[in-house]
Amino acid sequence: MGAVMWVEVLSRQGDVAVRERIEREEARIGRAFDNDVVVDDPHVAPHHLRVYRGEDGELVAEDLGTVNGLYAEHGARRVARISLADEPVIRIGRTTLRVHDGAHAVAPEKPLTPPRMHARWALGLALAVFAIIGLVNWLSITQEPNARVVLVPFLTLAMGLAVWTGLWALVSRIFAGQSLFVLHLRIALTACIALVVWDQVAHAAAFALAWREMGDYAGLGAWALLAATCYAHLHAIGPRHMRVAMTLVGALILAGAAVQYFDRWDQRNDIGQRAGLGELRPPMFRAVPLASTDEFFKRAEAVKQRVDQARLKEPPPRAGLIFDVD
């Protein structure tokens, strides 16, 4: 038996649609039926490509003078030949091929997590999420508790988790062939816990350190957690173009964060910076000393003077406003 090579025709999702074992030094690929690998693609020539072993023993793909040519997987420039040692994935027409030597080393098997284990984790995380949300809401209630105040946050959270998980399960079903609903639910519940913990830590730090910017821009951490959550979902699906998918998701998240915080910056320019520090905490959580009475009234007087000066200024004229005075 001679040297063995494997030629794989990949689907658009990166799965192996066809895998052919070649036990010769050379393989011919094209639409004609006398090829070693027959490709059903109208943009592939009858005899489009040959794969052979170079003098160093490495596999090389060579275009046979076709109209549509040969390209590296992500390449935009047509090539006459390409070494497959470092670039095993190539494109001909609208078909993606992957060629490996028979001695090519493969990654070790991934540990298999039984669905019941994911379900147990999801159940435990769900109980933790609802317990944390319930405690936070209970501590923030400032009115007489009733069924609406107590139940609405839980129902809203449950509906949000169901929609979010369902969408990712649908994407997983389309691109990976299986929904992985429980795994996506586990990821979403973990993200909920992280978001709640971050929110509480950020507001507590803003109050303890009198750090107004922390209270105003704590949402940036939430956007970062959202990006990490999307990465975990995509990693569970395992798309072939993981970097492209994550770049797209990251760009959308970055755009959303930019829009939100440019709007916050614009509001600050229009109405000034708010005087609060977000959610209040008991005085024992203060880490910086409180201002003295004299210092407080001194600052208040300075603010009063700035307000009085602003009241004396004439407002700038607005274009397009015409007053008809009789």
Side-chain angles (χ1 to χ4, degrees), residues 71-95:
Y71 296 84
E73 181 184 14
H74 302 296
R77 185 173 60 88
R78 176 173 177 167
V79 295
R81 63 179 54 83
I82 184 172
S83 173
L84 300 175
D86 300 323
E87 187 69 38
V89 183
I90 55 178
R91 289 186 293 113
I92 56 173
R94 292 183 176 175
T95 300

Side-chain angles (χ1 to χ4, degrees), residues 233-281:
H233 285 297
L234 287 172
H235 189 269
I237 296 172
R240 181 160 162 260
H241 301 290
M242 179 70 174
R243 291 183 179 179
V244 176
M246 195 57 212
T247 300
L248 177 61
V249 171
L252 293 175
I253 291 174
L254 185 61
V259 169
Q260 178 181 348
Y261 286 96
F262 273 121
D263 181 66
R264 179 73 59 84
W265 177 78
D266 189 54
Q267 290 180 5
R268 175 177 292 185
N269 287 339
D270 289 341
I271 63 177
Q273 188 171 4
R274 65 181 186 178
L277 289 174
E279 298 180 4
L280 297 179
R281 295 290 189 274

Side-chain angles (χ1 to χ4, degrees), residues 10-192:
L10 304 182
S11 68
R12 292 186 178 182
Q13 290 76 34
D15 299 324
V16 178
V18 177
R19 179 181 286 125
E20 295 288 346
R21 177 188 176 99
I22 310 297
E23 298 183 358
R24 293 192 299 277
E25 295 294 328
E26 180 178 311
R28 297 273 176 160
I29 302 171
R31 277 190 302 113
F33 291 104
D34 59 349
N35 288 288
D36 298 294
V37 179
V38 179
V39 177
D40 186 16
D41 181 348
H43 302 283
V44 171
H47 299 92
H48 197 113
L49 187 73
R50 79 182 184 107
V51 179
Y52 64 94
R53 294 186 181 275
E55 296 180 356
D56 57 357
E58 299 292 348
L59 294 174
V60 178
E62 181 182 42
D63 179 30
L64 296 178
T66 60
V67 173
N68 294 317
L70 167 65
Y71 296 84
E73 181 184 14
H74 302 296
R77 185 173 60 88
R78 176 173 177 167
V79 295
R81 63 179 54 83
I82 184 172
S83 173
L84 300 175
D86 300 323
E87 187 69 38
V89 183
I90 55 178
R91 289 186 293 113
I92 56 173
R94 292 183 176 175
T95 300
T96 304
L97 303 173
R98 181 168 58 203
V99 184
H100 282 307
D101 188 277
H104 176 74
V106 298
E109 70 275 21
K110 296 181 179 179
L112 178 63
T113 303
R116 290 185 179 181
M117 183 62 67
H118 284 306
R120 292 173 185 173
W121 271 101
L123 178 60
L125 290 170
L127 294 176
V129 167
F130 283 100
I132 294 173
I133 295 295
L135 177 61
V136 171
N137 289 336
W138 180 263
L139 294 176
S140 63
I141 289 177
T142 58
Q143 59 183 354
E144 188 68 23
N146 54 59
R148 181 184 64 81
V149 173
V150 174
L151 294 179
V152 165
F154 292 107
L155 295 176
T156 303
L157 176 61
M159 292 177 60
L161 283 171
V163 172
W164 177 268
T165 306
L167 289 175
W168 279 107
L170 177 61
V171 172
S172 181
R173 180 67 179 177
I174 294 173
F175 291 99
Q178 48 186 342
S179 63
L180 303 174
F181 182 86
V182 179
L183 177 56
H184 288 296
L185 178 60
R186 178 179 171 181
I187 294 171
L189 290 168
T190 303
C192 285

